[in-house]
Amino acid sequence: MGLVLENIKYKEYLNDISCEFLDGSINGIYGDNSKYIIDIINGDISDYDGTLKYDDNIMDVDYYKLNPTVVALIEDKPFFYTDSVLDEFRFNLDFRNCDLDILEEKSKELLNLVGLEESILKRNIYTLSFSEKYLLSLAINLIYNPEIIIFRDVFNGLDRNNKKKLMMVIKNLKEDKKNIIVTSNNTNILYELVDEVLLLDGSLIYENGSCDKIFTSTEIMKESVIPMPYITKVTYLAKNKKVKLSYHKDVRDIIKDIYKHV
């Protein structure tokens, strides 16, 4: 099952957007107006035309009231309600009506899940680095066991080490059959991470489908509507020079191909 958008229109920003984001898949959205799609899915925008459904249930105001933990939005600039990491976990567990006796155990479990040290529980949130705040926000959102997890501007501001941590977490969530949606205007990130991709051109869908198929499309590269991933562009240019290279996501595999064919 999955999340379905049918003929979504919102002011001048979205025009007849129809697509599906499947459970157990990493779905990417490219384009400046992706933020409006995310806000609609998260229930922050309600004055749109069209239909939004999850597992065949219409997601309207009443749906969000009955299902407060369906969607988790991980912002690139997370907001916290308290000053202390432990208090933030306590606040959210209490809000979720969880037994506070499991506070320490649950907090450590979720911190380990996102690659943060347990010692962070003793710290003031404002002493954390940007990357630590981002991963903490994810850990806290996972308290609610959401079905749909959205990462706005995924990897934005993360250092290399924490990017790797987050990528591993996202892939693990995929294995748990979560419905994962990421937005980014960096096609290199999308090509490396996602299974399916929705490309927006202004308010319209430019292309929608398999990431591998779209980002290796000769026609899309010729049209140059979007900046193609560097790694696929290199292969495309090599093919134009009659060099027998295959498309890869790892530059090391391209180097192997070069040694083999050049």
Side-chain angles (χ1 to χ4, degrees), residues 18-21 28 196-199 205-210 214:
S18 295
C19 60
E20 183 175 12
F21 302 115
E196 304 287 321
V197 63
L198 172 67
L199 303 181
I205 292 179
Y206 171 66
E207 193 66 71
N208 183 26
S210 162
I214 287 175

Side-chain angles (χ1 to χ4, degrees), residues 49-255:
D49 295 321
T51 304
L52 181 67
K53 296 190 293 186
Y54 182 63
D55 287 352
D56 292 330
N57 297 307
I58 295 178
M59 297 175 71
D60 54 15
V61 174
D62 292 332
Y63 180 86
Y64 284 104
K65 288 179 181 177
L66 294 172
N67 300 276
T69 63
V70 171
V71 183
L73 173 58
I74 315 302
E75 296 279 10
D76 58 331
K77 296 178 181 178
F79 173 81
F80 300 99
Y81 293 93
T82 68
D83 293 338
S84 127
V85 173
L86 186 60
D87 285 345
E88 193 69 20
F89 273 107
R90 182 180 288 110
F91 174 85
N92 283 274
L93 282 167
D94 186 46
F95 187 79
R96 184 73 171 85
N97 295 319
C98 293
D99 187 347
L100 289 181
D101 290 339
I102 68 168
L103 172 63
E104 185 173 354
E105 176 185 349
K106 190 66 176 179
S107 301
K108 290 180 179 179
E109 173 192 333
L110 292 171
L111 289 173
N112 289 331
L113 182 64
V114 302
L116 289 174
E117 298 291 334
E118 296 174 5
S119 58
I120 203 174
L121 282 170
K122 301 176 181 179
R123 292 176 58 186
N124 185 301
I125 288 176
Y126 299 100
T127 68
L128 303 181
S129 69
F130 179 89
S131 294
E132 288 172 329
K133 288 178 182 177
Y134 189 98
L135 293 174
L136 174 62
S137 173
L138 173 57
I140 288 169
N141 272 280
L142 292 179
I143 289 173
Y144 299 86
N145 193 26
E147 296 300 323
I148 302 168
I149 306 173
I150 304 169
F151 296 85
R152 197 194 298 272
D153 292 330
V154 68
F155 301 141
N156 183 35
L158 296 186
D159 58 48
R160 184 180 181 84
N161 184 46
N162 284 297
K163 175 185 172 182
K164 288 182 178 180
K165 287 182 184 178
L166 180 57
M167 184 172 290
M168 184 59 67
V169 173
I170 291 174
K171 289 181 177 179
N172 288 337
L173 291 170
K174 173 187 172 180
E175 293 299 317
D176 289 340
K177 305 301 180 184
K178 297 297 185 182
N179 195 310
I180 302 162
I181 302 171
V182 304
T183 71
S184 178
N185 279 355
N186 186 325
T187 53
N188 299 293
I189 288 174
L190 294 177
Y191 183 60
E192 182 180 9
L193 179 64
V194 309
D195 303 307
E196 304 287 321
V197 63
L198 172 67
L199 303 181
L200 298 177
D201 183 11
S203 64
L204 301 170
I205 292 179
Y206 171 66
E207 193 66 71
N208 183 26
S210 162
C211 171
D212 289 341
K213 183 177 180 180
I214 287 175
F215 284 139
T216 60
S217 166
T218 301
E219 291 304 313
I220 293 179
M221 290 194 201
K222 286 180 179 178
E223 292 173 7
S224 300
V225 174
I226 62 168
M228 297 300 286
Y230 297 136
I231 197 166
T232 60
K233 192 171 183 180
V234 166
T235 305
Y236 168 71
L237 294 173
K239 284 178 175 289
N240 284 347
K241 298 293 185 180
K242 309 302 181 184
V243 178
K244 294 181 179 179
L245 292 185
S246 299
Y247 286 105
H248 300 285
K249 293 193 176 183
D250 191 324
V251 69
R252 290 170 294 187
D253 292 325
I254 287 188
I255 292 171

